[in-house]
Amino acid sequence: RLSRLSRPGRRVAPDAPVTAAEDQASLDSYVWARVSAPDGRSVQGWLRTGEGYAYTAAAAVTTVEAVLEREPLGATTVAAAFGPKIALSAGGELLASA
């Protein structure tokens, strides 16, 4: 959802108050992912992360803490090293998967 100030064709006075619901909606960030297998099967999902910069900082701290706890060897991805639920540990919310 776009904040009311960024919606095309909508005029709002610069000093118009923003409601709490509009303010919160403008802070939500979403991630969409789709994975396909060679046999044609696919799955997809949506993750709501809240405000993007805050989630990025939380994800970085969560990942560093996981590295210090488990000390994975070699180069790898965060999900491969710590599992896909690490995104939820950082504050993400899985909205839908299919």
Side-chain angles (χ1 to χ4, degrees):
R1 293 172 53 187
L2 297 173
S3 74
R4 69 180 176 172
L5 297 177
S6 62
R7 290 184 194 138
R10 178 126 189 229
R11 292 182 180 215
V12 177
D15 58 347
V18 175
T19 66
E22 288 174 326
D23 189 41
Q24 181 59 43
S26 68
L27 293 179
D28 285 342
S29 296
Y30 297 87
V31 176
W32 173 77
R34 180 176 180 216
V35 178
S36 298
D39 66 4
R41 292 176 300 140
S42 68
V43 293
Q44 61 183 340
W46 283 93
L47 180 75
R48 179 175 35 221
T49 64
E51 198 279 322
Y53 289 113
Y55 179 78
T56 299
V61 170
T62 301
T63 303
V64 168
E65 290 172 343
V67 167
L68 294 174
E69 287 175 11
R70 296 183 191 108
E71 297 184 25
L73 298 175
T76 184
T77 65
V78 174
F82 307 111
K85 295 197 187 249
I86 195 160
L88 304 177
S89 298
E93 175 188 3
L94 185 63
L95 298 179
S97 62

